[in-house]
């Protein structure tokens, strides 16, 4: 009989107990997968948005833990343009706004004719004609959530805008957004002359060392401001940081709770098989082989739970994405990397939970174990 | 040990608040001081839910206020749905005078706050216009009726009674005030026959910049339980300088004209 067959047969002796343990592990791993998927997806979505915009540096004011930095005067643009390697500067105002029946929607104000518009693909209608026109363009997801089409009106704060176009972007954060021209959003949010981000394009061929020098120069010239690369701005987003912290905390809890569950199941199984372990030792099995047998049992159990949990977690993310409250706001990442993390968590808890029972099983004196009834 | 210290500090703060003896005037003064600002702007959603059908009606609101000396003005303007878009209630408070103001209906209707208007529901919700206009903290009869812990928070129960002949639908307002937050966490308004008319419960208490506390969500439960209204703040700014023109009929007409395509 193959060693693995022995492992499987041992687990199937008590199918209900094994299944319940597996279900416990699966739920823990599913929570890890769902939270990590959302955190990674959110970060990835912002990174994709910035990369697609062709933004090399993002300058913003670091003031609070708020998801949106406080607006500041756009008069800094001229000074930024004079700095070495800076080719283009686009001011941007963004805000989370409760629109009509929807709780909150991301609203951007972009400079008409700026480079930020270049990566968007117009699906229907047209772009706003000029900064005076009271029009808005909606991402495909935002149009779906707000139930708007070209020609309908959308109320953003005190302003009423005609939807002139629907666009598609490679990033959910933009597809779920409403875009007005910068002057229109500034006016309607009473932030005239203010932005909360500058997107910078640098000269082609700017070296990493020159980029670092520029960042230092920006920080020195504008106290309280920071210059981030596309990846860093996502990592510094407070919502992403909270999601990541939650995902790590859940992983840790799942690991602990799962390990205790596995330990309990495998330990009970070892106690029930005391006599059998005695026989195995008596016929010449080494103690290390007993350790392996018990560890394999706990790892097979947790690995199966990890696979089931991953499937459950990915399904949960899909469900969350389509829930009315989160639709258009989260984009879970389903990747081999995340699957590997889930399996690592499962294997980790299997190993952790199996160590003590394996030690107990291997230390049984054969004579005493044989007499055990 | 480190994690225990903040808990002890919070506990000590609570105990200190509990042990301190506040008079009615001191409690009101704490609330008034905490609310003082040159100007504020808040975006909120007013959500009325029918108990029977579960149907929700959402009204998007812009609430703005400004203070000049002891005088204050507050504007409640509906942004959505289209049927009420632009309609606004302007409340004006001047020392030594009863609260006044007007109701604006586009394009140019301006109605003074009559008794009939005060009794009307505020944009179809369980709040009445009077709930926003009447400042019961300024009624002459105020007394501390006792103390009670709400959600583990030490609160003083303040009873406010209107003066004889006052144009109000209520005979008594009870407020559960948490002195450490300078905030009422529950308010009950009573009809003249002694029945509870409405209960206001503050939820999602948030500490804001400057250490002030505010409720991001207020649940209004009227007598009968046929419905409930939630006033949910989505964004808030304080210490703004807002022009007086924004609180006038002309200002409202101009802003609406500028906001329409």
């Amino acid at each position: 009989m193959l060693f693995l067959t022995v492992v499987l047969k041992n687990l199937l002796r008590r199918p209900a107990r094994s299944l319940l343990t597996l279900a416990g592990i699966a739920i823990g791993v599913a929570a890890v997968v769902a939270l990590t998927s959302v955190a990674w997806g959110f970060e990835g979505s912002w990174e994709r948005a910035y990369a697609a915009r062709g933004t090399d540096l993002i300058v913003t004011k670091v003031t609070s833990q708020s998801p949106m930095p406080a607006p500041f005067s756009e008069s800094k643009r001229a000074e930024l343009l004079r700095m070495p390697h800076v080719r283009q500067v686009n001011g941007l105002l963004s805000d989370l706004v409760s629109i009509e029946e929807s709780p909150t929607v991301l609203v951007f104000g972009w400079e008409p004719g700026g480079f930020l518009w270049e990566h968007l693909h117009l699906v229907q209608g047209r772009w706003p004609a000029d900064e005076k026109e009271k029009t808005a363009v909606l991402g495909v997801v935002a149009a779906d959530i707000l139930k708007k089409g070209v020609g309908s009106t959308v109320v953003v704060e005190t302003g009423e805008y005609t939807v002139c176009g629907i666009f598609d972007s490679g990033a959910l954060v933009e597809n779920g957004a409403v875009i007005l021209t910068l002057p229109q959003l500034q006016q309607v949010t009473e932030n005239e002359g203010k932005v909360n981000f500058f997107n910078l394009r640098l000269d082609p061929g700017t070296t990493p060392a020159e980029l670092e020098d520029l960042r230092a120069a920006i920080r020195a010239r504008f106290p309280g401001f920071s210059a981030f690369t596309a990846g860093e701005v996502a990592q510094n987003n407070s919502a992403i940081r909270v999601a990541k912290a939650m995902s790590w905390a859940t992983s840790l809890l799942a690991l602990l709770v799962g390990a205790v569950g596995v330990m309990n199941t495998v330990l009970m199984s070892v106690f029930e098989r005391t006599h059998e372990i005695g026989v195995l030792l008596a016929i010449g099995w080494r103690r290390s082989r007993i350790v392996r047998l018990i560890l394999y049992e706990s790892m097979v159990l947790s690995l199966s739970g990890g696979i089931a949990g991953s499937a459950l977690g990915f399904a949960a993310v899909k469900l969350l994405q389509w829930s009315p409250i989160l639709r258009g706001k989260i984009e879970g990442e389903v990747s081999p990397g995340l699957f590997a993390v889930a399996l690592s968590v499962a294997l980790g808890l299997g190993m952790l939970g199996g160590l003590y029972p394996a030690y107990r099983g291997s230390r049984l004196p054969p004579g005493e174990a044989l007499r055990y009834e | 040990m480190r994690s225990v210290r903040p808990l002890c500090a919070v506990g000590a703060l609570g105990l200190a608040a509990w042990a301190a003896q506040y008079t009615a005037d001191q409690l009101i003064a704490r609330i008034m001081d905490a609310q003082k600002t040159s100007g504020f702007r808040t975006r909120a959603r007013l959500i009325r839910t029918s108990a029977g059908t579960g149907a929700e009606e959402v009204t998007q609101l812009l609430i703005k206020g400004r203070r000049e000396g002891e005088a204050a003005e507050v504007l409640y303007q509906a942004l959505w749905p289209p049927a009420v878009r632009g309609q606004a209630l302007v409340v004006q408070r001047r020392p030594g005078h009863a609260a006044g103001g007007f109701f604006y209906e586009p394009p140019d209707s301006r109605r003074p706050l009559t008794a009939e208007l005060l009794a009307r529901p505020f944009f179809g919700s369980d709040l009445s216009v009077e709930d926003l206009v009447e400042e019961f903290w300024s009624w002459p009869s105020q007394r501390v009726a006792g103390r009670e812990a709400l959600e583990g928070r030490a609160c003083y129960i303040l009873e406010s009674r209107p003066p004889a002949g006052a144009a109000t639908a209520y005979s008594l307002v009870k407020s559960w005030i948490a002195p450490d937050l300078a905030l009422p966490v529950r308010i009950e308004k009573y009809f003249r026959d002694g029945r509870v008319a409405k209960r206001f419960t503050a939820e999602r208490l948030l500490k804001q910049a400057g250490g002030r506390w505010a409720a991001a969500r207020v649940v209004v439960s009227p007598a009968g339980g046929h419905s409930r209204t939630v006033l949910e703040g989505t964004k808030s700014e304080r210490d703004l300088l807002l022009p007086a023109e924004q609180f006038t009929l002309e200002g409202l007409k101009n802003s609406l004209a500028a906001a329409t395509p």
Side-chain angles (χ1 to χ4, degrees), chain A residues 116-312:
Chain A
L116 296 176
W117 302 86
E118 290 168 8
H119 71 286
L120 300 180
H121 166 64
L122 199 61
V123 177
Q124 274 179 55
R126 60 172 178 83
W127 299 117
D130 57 50
E131 61 184 48
K132 287 190 183 128
E133 194 182 67
K134 295 195 78 69
T135 51
V137 285
L138 272 56
V140 283
V141 177
D144 185 35
I145 291 169
L146 297 169
K147 300 178 186 74
K148 302 286 180 189
V150 172
S152 51
T153 55
V154 61
V155 176
V156 179
E157 300 292 77
T158 54
E160 194 176 317
Y161 297 88
T162 304
V163 177
C164 66
I166 311 281
F167 66 85
D168 189 18
S169 152
L172 180 80
V173 286
E174 289 181 342
N175 277 342
V178 172
I179 307 181
L180 310 179
T181 59
L182 181 60
Q184 290 294 337
L185 189 61
Q186 286 172 329
Q187 186 204 334
V188 84
T189 56
E190 299 185 30
N191 279 309
E192 277 91 348
K194 289 181 179 175
V195 293
N196 52 7
F197 290 98
F198 277 122
N199 282 235
L200 273 62
R201 269 188 182 174
L202 307 183
D203 292 330
T206 304
T207 64
E210 288 166 340
L211 181 81
E212 279 311 309
D213 289 346
L214 176 61
R215 290 168 63 156
I218 290 170
R219 280 195 297 270
R221 179 67 195 84
F222 307 112
F225 282 75
S226 272
F228 299 106
T229 60
E232 286 170 347
V233 83
Q235 284 159 17
N236 280 285
N237 183 293
S238 62
I240 293 174
R241 284 213 304 265
V242 168
K244 277 184 153 179
M246 277 178 69
S247 115
W248 280 113
T250 314
S251 305
L252 198 68
L253 273 175
L255 199 69
L256 283 174
V257 175
V260 170
V262 170
M263 191 187 293
N264 179 48
T265 301
V266 180
L267 201 57
M268 280 181 75
S269 163
V270 168
F271 286 151
E272 283 168 5
R273 289 185 286 145
T274 303
H275 183 80
E276 184 188 312
I277 291 171
V279 171
L280 292 174
L281 287 167
I283 62 168
W285 273 42
R286 286 184 179 179
R287 292 193 186 280
S288 61
R289 204 169 182 207
I290 299 289
V291 168
R292 265 195 296 142
L293 175 76
I294 298 168
L295 273 182
Y296 276 26
E297 281 177 28
S298 73
M299 294 196 20
V300 164
L301 199 59
S302 35
L303 199 62
S304 313
I307 293 167
S310 300
L312 207 63

Side-chain angles (χ1 to χ4, degrees), chain B residues 37-244:
Chain B
T37 173
S38 56
F40 70 90
R41 181 169 43 226
T42 300
R43 276 282 281 109
R45 283 164 22 111
L46 193 65
I47 308 154
R48 183 180 183 272
T49 311
S50 298
T53 60
E56 279 189 356
E57 293 160 41
V58 180
T59 306
Q60 295 282 359
L61 284 180
L62 173 68
I63 307 170
K64 289 200 276 197
R66 67 182 290 275
R67 178 177 286 275
E68 206 172 283
E70 288 305 303
E73 290 171 304
V74 184
L75 162 76
Y76 301 87
Q77 187 167 36
L79 306 180
W80 195 85
V84 292
R85 178 169 156 70
Q87 291 183 14
L89 168 70
V90 177
V91 182
Q92 295 157 335
R93 293 198 174 91
R94 279 170 183 78
H97 293 81
F102 63 92
F103 191 82
Y104 167 68
E105 213 166 326
D108 50 15
S109 155
R110 180 192 194 277
R111 286 190 292 156
L113 298 182
T114 57
E116 182 267 331
L117 195 63
L118 288 171
R120 278 175 57 175
F122 176 67
F123 294 120
S125 72
D126 294 306
L127 283 161
S128 64
V129 173
E130 187 196 330
D131 289 325
L132 301 169
V133 174
E134 190 58 72
E135 201 169 47
F136 53 85
W137 308 117
S138 62
W139 287 346
S141 168
Q142 309 279 351
R143 76 172 191 105
V144 174
R147 287 188 275 180
E148 190 182 339
L150 281 186
E151 310 260 332
R153 204 176 285 285
C155 293
Y156 279 71
I157 305 170
L158 183 76
E159 287 188 355
S160 314
R161 289 175 197 276
T168 171
Y170 307 114
S171 61
L172 167 68
V173 178
K174 276 189 190 179
S175 317
W176 280 254
I177 298 167
D180 51 332
L181 308 183
L183 200 70
V185 291
R186 182 197 286 171
I187 295 172
E188 281 179 357
K189 295 189 172 185
Y190 292 76
F191 287 127
R192 295 199 176 275
D193 61 10
R195 283 181 301 129
V196 178
K198 284 170 199 171
R199 174 183 279 188
F200 300 72
T201 311
E203 294 181 355
R204 279 196 225 152
L205 305 180
L206 304 173
K207 195 170 191 176
Q208 300 185 309
R212 295 185 191 93
W213 286 84
R217 192 178 143 99
V218 177
V219 180
V220 185
S221 316
H226 302 299
S227 62
R228 71 173 203 155
T229 293
V230 175
L231 182 65
E232 195 175 68
T234 54
K235 198 165 56 178
S236 188
E237 295 165 278
R238 281 179 69 101
D239 303 327
L240 307 173
L241 288 172
L242 302 175

